[in-house]
Amino acid sequence: MKDSYLANGVTVARVATLFEVSRELWQAAPWEAILTDDSLLRVSCADLGLEDAVVSVVGQHRTIFGFLLFPGGLDAFVEFERAARRHSAPKATQLSLCFITRRELSVRLRREAQKFRWPLPTEDRYPVFTTADRRGARPPTADELNKIEAVARALTQLVQIEPNLQNVTFGIGSMRHTLDVSTVAGSHQLHISAPCMPEPEDDLVFVETGRGG
């Protein structure tokens, strides 16, 4: 994995926008309203190629904060959880925005952030954008960064407008919102709903993994 925020031809200005969006998400702190990382949200957006995608918000265990986006939906999330239980590499594609500490960040990424003066959410937290699949972790493409940015903006809005977010992600009632977000790629409508739960299976046990929480 190329250790640079500017991989895949991503520009300095594009990363600056992503850092600004990340700072807003940090301030919104959706992990304070969604109390487990398997209390999922369903997200669809036709022009971003998302149909019944799944979002898992992490940070409840005060280590890594952020979210994982599974474009493959519930099946992809369940496969990810099974792989975690087996301590094997997941095959499901996942896009993520996670906040890690200065100590955990590579020297190269830290120097890039300092050089270009990208706005940090806190003095000791840096956003990291990643795509992972059966081939391993890699920097996101421009299209994948558009999805990450749109979901981050939508989560920031959702915390502000949904007073029952904690309950509905646990299956107490339901919610459905259509959120208008503006990204570098343009304006999008994201349809977000909850609860979003896998069918119960005898051999499926949700586990806390290295993805955060």
Side-chain angles (χ1 to χ4, degrees):
M1 175 175 174
K2 186 176 180 180
D3 196 19
S4 172
Y5 283 109
L6 304 174
N8 294 327
V10 177
T11 66
V12 172
R14 181 72 177 100
V15 179
T17 297
L18 290 166
F19 267 65
E20 291 170 0
V21 172
S22 300
R23 183 168 60 178
E24 292 172 1
L25 180 66
W26 178 268
Q27 292 169 349
W31 43 85
E32 301 288 351
I34 300 174
L35 300 186
T36 70
D37 57 10
D38 54 13
S39 296
L40 308 174
L41 301 169
R42 181 179 281 109
V43 180
S44 294
C45 178
D47 53 348
L48 287 174
L50 297 175
E51 182 177 0
D52 292 333
V54 164
V55 173
S56 168
V57 172
V58 299
Q60 297 86 358
H61 295 270
R62 321 308 294 178
T63 52
I64 297 176
F65 300 80
F67 68 85
L68 282 75
L69 170 65
F70 295 87
L74 272 175
D75 288 345
F77 175 79
V78 169
E79 193 281 325
F80 177 79
E81 290 286 334
R82 285 176 174 158
R85 185 187 59 188
R86 297 192 301 263
H87 303 288
S88 62
K91 298 178 182 178
T93 299
Q94 52 190 281
L95 316 180
S96 65
L97 188 173
C98 290
F99 299 93
I100 65 174
T101 65
R102 176 186 179 89
R103 182 182 61 185
E104 296 167 318
L105 194 72
S106 73
V107 172
R108 177 166 181 172
L109 292 184
R110 191 165 66 241
R111 286 176 176 171
E112 281 186 351
Q114 293 170 342
K115 176 181 178 180
F116 297 110
R117 298 183 179 180
W118 292 322
L120 298 178
T122 74
E123 185 177 339
D124 190 47
R125 289 282 175 174
Y126 291 72
V128 175
F129 317 98
T130 308
T131 296
D133 54 27
R134 67 181 63 206
R135 295 171 294 177
R138 57 179 172 80
T141 63
D143 179 65
E144 290 165 342
L145 285 174
N146 291 338
K147 293 180 173 66
I148 291 171
E149 180 186 355
V151 170
R153 290 187 183 275
L155 285 174
T156 299
Q157 283 191 42
L158 186 64
V159 170
Q160 297 168 350
I161 67 172
E162 179 50 70
N164 298 314
L165 188 56
Q166 176 178 330
N167 289 337
V168 296
T169 53
F170 276 103
I172 304 173
S174 63
M175 71 164 191
R176 184 177 298 273
H177 294 285
T178 298
L179 303 178
D180 295 315
V181 301
S182 295
T183 70
V184 169
S187 298
H188 310 286
Q189 281 195 335
L190 274 69
H191 305 281
I192 297 186
S193 60
C196 175
M197 299 178 179
E199 292 295 324
E201 297 183 25
D202 291 340
D203 65 340
L204 180 60
V205 178
F206 293 114
V207 296
E208 182 63 31
T209 71
R211 71 182 185 279

